[in-house]
Amino acid sequence: MIFSDRRTFGIDSNFISGGHLKKYLILIIIAVIFLYMAHTGHWQKTEMIRIGQVIMTQIPQNINYLINTSKCRIPDADPFSEDIIQYISQEKYEPCTKLGLLTYIDKSNGMVRLRINSSLLSEYSSMEITCCYSNITRINYVKAVDNEIKLTPCTPIQKEVNLTFPFVKVVCSNILKNVYTNVHATTLPTPRKVPDVSSEKKYSILLVGIDSMSKSNLRRTMPKTYQYLNQNYISLKGYNKIGDNTFPNLMALLTGYSVAQLQTFCSTKVKMNHCRFVWDAFRASGYTTAYAEDECAISTFNYDRPGFQDPPTDFYYHPYFLASETLPTKKRYDMTFCSGPETSAERMLNIAKDFVVSFKQVPNFGLFWMNSFSHDNVNLPSAMDEAVLGFLSDGDLVSSLHNTIVLVFSDHGFRFGDIRYTHSGWLEERLPFIYIYIPDDFRKRFPEKYSNFLVNTERLTTPYDVFNTFQDILEIGNSSYVAARSHGCPNCRSLFQELPENRTCHDVSIDQHWCTCNGHHYVNSNGTLVRLIGEFIVDEVNKLKNTFEEKWFCANFAVKKIKSAGMSDSYVNDRNETVRYFLVIVATDPKAIFEATVEVHSRNGVDEFRLLGDISRLDRYAEVTRCIKNGTLRKYCFCDGCIKSAIRYLIG
Ligand SMILES: *[C@@H]1O[C@H](CO)[C@@H](O)[C@H](O)[C@H]1NC(C)=O
Ligand SMILES: *[C@@H]1O[C@H](CO)[C@@H](O)[C@H](O)[C@H]1NC(C)=O
Ligand SMILES: *[C@@H]1O[C@H](CO)[C@@H](O)[C@H](O)[C@H]1NC(C)=O
Ligand SMILES: *[C@@H]1O[C@H](CO)[C@@H](O)[C@H](O)[C@H]1NC(C)=O
Ligand SMILES: *[C@@H]1O[C@H](CO)[C@@H](O)[C@H](O)[C@H]1NC(C)=O
Ligand SMILES: *[C@@H]1O[C@H](CO)[C@@H](O)[C@H](O)[C@H]1NC(C)=O
Ligand SMILES: *[C@@H]1O[C@H](CO)[C@@H](O)[C@H](O)[C@H]1NC(C)=O
Ligand SMILES: *[C@@H]1O[C@H](CO)[C@@H](O)[C@H](O)[C@H]1NC(C)=O
Ligand SMILES: *[C@@H]1O[C@H](CO)[C@@H](O)[C@H](O)[C@H]1NC(C)=O
Ligand SMILES: [Zn+2]
């Protein structure tokens, strides 16, 4: 439901204060005056009408910045700004079952048991219920190595059974039918680790990820979680993404490499075990490691990638999530909201807590990544606010974090659909949220590192800096460890070292296309130059497409309409060219929406164009690219049928 009357949005959200109303009113009046003047030619110096500039930059007292350094000002977008309010609504938490869970894992006295909650049996059936359990394991096939599981035959269970393996499926039935099916995960078998005799302090790392969550969307959809994080964690206000989607951003953080660099040793042709993940280094330093991700079809290392040959971490929960997704599922916006009687997200939060609590006495490193409630709908996270808050503030979890540095974060903001055609959508997409918890013990032991960290929260930061921070933590815990620096960003540093005040996106390997430091003014999208830039972008898309073997299946795109155009300030370079860049969103025929940043060098009426970074695709293109196998090509493709493809093939 879209709330047209914003007052109905909810009492918690204080976004529409009287001050805001006044502000918007003034803005609208000014915008109307300028529109009028522009229309009558007053401001029409070139073909650019500087309408957008008025709204964005002429009233400086209205602009707050997330960070305001000498080389980088990132606007602090209003999460409820006028341009996106029509796309905002609230989603309810819907439990996956009305009944309590009939089975659960009990860890006590050093034993791990699967138990039936007998007090619930009568709720499930008035007849007698019998249950059985199976061992779930991954199949090490050469081909489908990471995406197949198998079950042992179902063994009857009376009240409880001792477990020796990590993933278990339970089926309970009465004489007529199944009344309950579920899967559980636990931390078995316990890895054998040599006791750590070194005197150095090994800090644990907990990474909890929510895909596609911007700073603003966290504030907007998860106000309770946001408040808790603000009170107990510290935000990196100037954290900017470095690549388009999950893979480049998560890999920057986990390996320190750019996607181009990964090609040589971590291409899609080899299994992902060779990708030099930082968890390998933690494991080599005696840490117990874990990695889990929900929504298996789009998992970072499985979607268009070969997955892992061997489990990459001590605890690898992919088989568990595969098994959970074989249960009856309830989809919300195409994602597995419920698998069996539990939500995917709560499964994740439960195993994250189980892992952290179980290994609180030893160094541990865990990555728990959630897609299921945030990836495909910008509002659905509101359904999970309570659950995430409940996890973060859980007493058992919090009391297990005395030696743990925790990151609660995302990889990028929302990437598709209507919200992306707006100014706020542009900004949000590039600004994932990231909150870090530094335990007291660390603050006391390393006051200087901690004060550097606080300074750095006001600077431009990237996932590469986070990678370097992991290296710092490895070094703190092991004096013979030689810290590696991020290869993708040679100028990046650990967040425990003071970062230069004058950092630019260029300094830290952020392409202009993803950079939020400079802003832009909106200009008339009907201008000749803007039109030419649109043609240039679509040409680039077609050229890129034509480098692929499967190119015949894809239509050639043509410009249909420029949806919006932003322009930077300009400067004159040493060749006396006027240089500026444009951020252009172009709609094409056949139907697709692309966004790119193009640098324009102008001299003597001649304009030269250069692409700055990637081209983004803003429409949802899964449906129209089903004919294509190569995942990289899909972004530049529109499948338009066998006949047209055959003709293209024949005429070359
Ligand atoms: C940003 O920094 C500049 C230079 O320090 C200062 O003049 C300006 O007032 C700051 N703007 C805001 C909104 O803090
Ligand atoms: C068993 O179910 C009852 C009734 O729902 C519940 O109160 C109790 O907490 C459950 N026990 C466990 C260990 O989950
Ligand atoms: C569970 O399955 C795995 C792989 O098939 C096997 O190694 C393990 O021994 C099994 N455990 C039990 C208790 O069946
Ligand atoms: C589980 O293990 C404990 C300790 O070894 C043993 O006493 C108990 O009988 C076992 N329970 C079952 C159901 O096998
Ligand atoms: C320290 O790191 C090295 C590798 O860098 C590893 O071989 C060694 O076991 C580690 N020592 C400890 C105590 O973790
Ligand atoms: C940033 O400042 C440092 C000194 O603090 C200076 O050496 C460096 O050249 C500056 N970099 C840029 C890009 O201005
Ligand atoms: C751009 O041109 C189209 C058709 O020529 C027109 O409908 C539209 O109003 C124009 N937009 C602006 C912002 O001038
Ligand atoms: C730079 O270009 C401007 C106008 O485009 C011209 O007036 C000026 O003479 C040029 N300067 C140089 C050094 O070429
Ligand atoms: C997709 O195409 C690119 C460029 O041709 C190639 O490098 C890559 O290996 C291909 N990927 C797959 C999965 O075939
Ligand atoms: Zn993502």
Side-chain angles (χ1 to χ4, degrees):
M1 176 166 66
I2 305 286
F3 291 93
S4 51
D5 177 358
R6 279 173 281 122
R7 275 166 306 179
T8 62
F9 191 83
I11 339 161
D12 281 345
S13 4
N14 54 359
F15 67 95
I16 188 79
S17 61
H20 276 80
L21 265 180
K22 234 180 276 167
K23 186 173 84 183
Y24 291 132
L25 217 66
I26 293 170
L27 276 173
I28 289 165
I29 292 168
I30 291 175
V32 166
I33 294 170
F34 273 78
L35 263 167
Y36 173 74
M37 290 169 99
H39 185 74
T40 53
H42 277 88
W43 291 76
Q44 211 157 352
K45 285 200 196 110
T46 63
E47 79 249 19
M48 320 293 172
I49 305 174
R50 307 190 129 225
I51 298 169
Q53 184 178 16
V54 175
I55 294 170
M56 289 177 50
T57 58
Q58 297 274 306
I59 312 170
Q61 65 266 31
N62 273 339
I63 294 204
N64 289 318
Y65 295 109
L66 286 166
I67 61 164
N68 180 13
T69 63
S70 56
K71 295 285 170 62
C72 182
R73 278 183 188 174
I74 303 180
D76 186 9
D78 174 0
F80 298 96
S81 122
E82 286 292 276
D83 64 341
I84 52 170
I85 200 79
Q86 60 179 309
Y87 307 120
I88 307 307
S89 62
Q90 222 165 7
E91 294 279 340
K92 278 209 179 67
Y93 176 82
E94 289 164 14
C96 303
T97 170
K98 291 196 182 69
L99 304 173
L101 297 181
L102 189 53
T103 54
Y104 62 98
I105 302 279
D106 174 43
K107 283 186 171 180
S108 50
N109 310 322
M111 302 293 304
V112 182
R113 297 181 193 84
L114 169 68
R115 285 193 146 149
I116 297 173
N117 188 341
S118 316
S119 64
L120 289 170
L121 282 169
S122 59
E123 289 186 25
Y124 276 86
S125 170
S126 53
M127 288 179 273
E128 194 194 353
I129 293 178
T130 58
C131 297
C132 67
Y133 71 99
S134 314
N135 177 0
I136 304 167
T137 50
R138 64 201 297 265
I139 304 179
N140 257 336
Y141 284 146
V142 176
K143 258 178 140 178
V145 59
D146 206 11
N147 284 318
E148 301 273 344
I149 47 169
K150 69 175 180 209
L151 302 174
T152 55
C154 213
T155 312
I157 157 176
Q158 300 305 323
K159 252 190 93 171
E160 60 174 45
V161 64
N162 294 334
L163 290 181
T164 54
F165 49 86
F167 310 133
V168 60
K169 177 170 182 174
V170 201
V171 178
C172 300
S173 38
N174 60 23
I175 189 167
L176 299 173
K177 60 174 201 297
N178 282 359
V179 293
Y180 173 87
T181 317
N182 204 358
V183 293
H184 299 286
T186 185
T187 52
L188 283 172
T190 307
R192 284 173 60 88
K193 295 274 164 172
V194 247
D196 187 14
V197 290
S198 66
S199 56
E200 287 108 349
K201 180 79 185 249
K202 288 187 162 80
Y203 288 96
S204 293
I205 311 259
L206 170 62
L207 307 176
V208 179
I210 306 176
D211 203 283
S212 305
M213 254 321 229
S214 64
K215 298 176 205 290
S216 292
N217 206 38
L218 179 79
R219 258 170 95 179
R220 188 164 56 221
T221 60
M222 307 184 85
K224 293 176 183 165
T225 301
Y226 172 73
Q227 193 188 5
Y228 180 85
L229 287 170
N230 271 326
Q231 282 164 2
N232 299 280
Y233 287 55
I234 296 162
S235 166
L236 295 181
K237 296 183 198 155
Y239 190 70
N240 196 113
K241 76 171 186 171
I242 58 100
D244 190 9
N245 51 13
T246 313
F247 190 72
N249 291 297
L250 211 45
M251 286 310 257
L253 184 137
L254 292 173
T255 72
Y257 288 97
S258 70
V259 169
Q261 292 166 334
L262 289 169
Q263 287 301 320
T264 58
F265 57 91
C266 169
S267 75
T268 51
K269 289 184 184 64
V270 296
K271 297 285 185 278
M272 302 296 292
N273 295 75
H274 308 287
C275 297
R276 303 181 196 167
F277 287 98
V278 74
W279 56 51
D280 296 337
F282 279 103
R283 190 140 81 145
S285 257
Y287 282 62
T288 299
T289 58
Y291 157 58
E293 182 165 355
D294 65 0
E295 204 63 49
C296 297
I298 59 159
S299 282
T300 312
F301 310 115
N302 298 92
Y303 174 77
D304 277 330
R305 299 189 192 273
F308 296 96
Q309 175 80 43
D310 302 309
T313 47
D314 294 314
F315 295 100
Y316 178 50
Y317 292 91
H318 189 56
Y320 168 66
F321 280 99
L322 284 170
S324 77
E325 290 173 16
T326 65
L327 303 177
T329 58
K330 193 182 129 200
K331 301 262 178 185
R332 282 176 84 173
Y333 302 104
D334 287 338
M335 296 275 128
T336 310
F337 191 78
C338 292
S339 52
E342 300 182 53
T343 64
S344 299
E346 283 161 299
R347 288 185 187 280
M348 183 65 72
L349 299 172
N350 289 338
I351 59 173
K353 177 182 153 187
D354 177 41
F355 175 77
V356 169
V357 173
S358 301
F359 296 106
K360 63 181 172 194
Q361 309 288 9
V362 298
N364 62 76
F365 176 101
L367 167 62
F368 300 89
W369 192 262
M370 294 178 278
N371 299 302
S372 56
F373 65 89
S374 56
H375 189 277
D376 267 39
N377 182 280
V378 74
N379 296 309
L380 191 54
S382 56
M384 298 312 292
D385 190 19
E386 295 272 354
V388 174
L389 171 70
F391 164 76
L392 291 173
S393 58
D394 178 276
D396 290 339
L397 180 85
V398 171
S399 66
S400 303
L401 297 176
H402 292 310
N403 294 314
T404 304
I405 291 168
V406 188
L407 271 75
V408 184
F409 71 114
S410 191
D411 48 354
H412 50 75
F414 204 74
R415 293 177 45 236
F416 304 102
D418 293 341
I419 197 167
R420 280 291 285 108
Y421 312 145
T422 64
H423 177 72
S424 299
W426 162 76
L427 203 55
E428 289 193 15
E429 196 236 18
R430 285 145 171 89
L431 297 172
F433 84 99
I434 181 166
Y435 280 85
I436 300 178
Y437 169 80
I438 311 268
D440 280 344
D441 180 89
F442 187 96
R443 299 183 193 192
K444 293 207 184 90
R445 222 181 262 243
F446 302 105
E448 197 173 325
K449 283 182 192 288
Y450 183 62
S451 67
N452 289 340
F453 173 77
L454 292 182
V455 170
N456 293 338
T457 61
E458 309 270 345
R459 306 242 149 120
L460 177 63
T461 46
T462 75
Y464 293 121
D465 295 311
V466 177
F467 173 81
N468 285 332
T469 312
F470 295 153
Q471 296 296 324
D472 209 345
I473 294 161
L474 280 163
E475 207 173 26
I476 290 170
N478 179 350
S479 54
S480 59
Y481 181 81
V482 182
R485 277 260 182 87
S486 160
H487 286 76
C489 177
N491 291 326
C492 285
R493 295 286 177 272
S494 162
L495 294 166
F496 298 135
Q497 260 178 288
E498 188 175 329
L499 305 173
E501 191 276 341
N502 58 1
R503 267 188 163 192
T504 61
C505 284
H506 181 259
D507 292 341
V508 291
S509 308
I510 302 172
D511 286 332
Q512 180 52 48
H513 187 51
W514 308 127
C515 183
T516 52
C517 286
N518 313 114
H520 51 257
H521 325 300
Y522 284 93
V523 295
N524 185 353
S525 46
N526 280 0
T528 321
L529 180 58
V530 167
R531 185 91 196 164
L532 287 173
I533 294 168
E535 305 276 356
F536 172 75
I537 292 169
V538 172
D539 262 7
E540 291 292 307
V541 171
N542 288 331
K543 269 195 230 156
L544 266 164
K545 179 207 76 179
N546 285 331
T547 63
F548 289 85
E549 273 174 25
E550 293 175 281
K551 62 184 173 189
W552 314 111
F553 295 109
C554 310
N556 276 313
F557 290 108
V559 177
K560 187 164 171 228
K561 182 174 178 245
I562 308 293
K563 278 183 90 81
S564 86
M567 185 182 80
S568 71
D569 292 336
S570 66
Y571 66 92
V572 176
N573 71 6
D574 51 12
R575 287 183 300 170
N576 204 18
E577 298 165 330
T578 303
V579 182
R580 60 209 152 144
Y581 63 80
F582 287 79
L583 178 85
V584 172
I585 300 181
V586 50
T588 61
D589 194 8
K591 197 163 178 286
I593 314 272
F594 296 100
E595 178 198 65
T597 302
V598 176
E599 189 172 77
V600 180
H601 290 229
S602 313
R603 194 168 71 163
N604 303 332
V606 181
D607 299 314
E608 274 174 34
F609 301 146
R610 189 162 72 94
L611 206 55
L612 297 184
D614 280 355
I615 296 172
S616 310
R617 174 107 177 235
L618 307 188
D619 58 313
R620 291 168 186 271
Y621 55 88
E623 284 300 322
V624 297
T625 53
R626 292 216 187 277
C627 66
I628 296 301
K629 284 209 192 70
N630 190 308
T632 321
L633 171 57
R634 269 183 227 134
K635 188 165 135 182
Y636 311 112
C637 184
F638 186 100
C639 299
D640 71 345
C642 302
I643 298 172
K644 285 186 183 169
S645 302
I647 292 171
R648 263 197 302 276
Y649 181 75
L650 289 173
I651 61 176

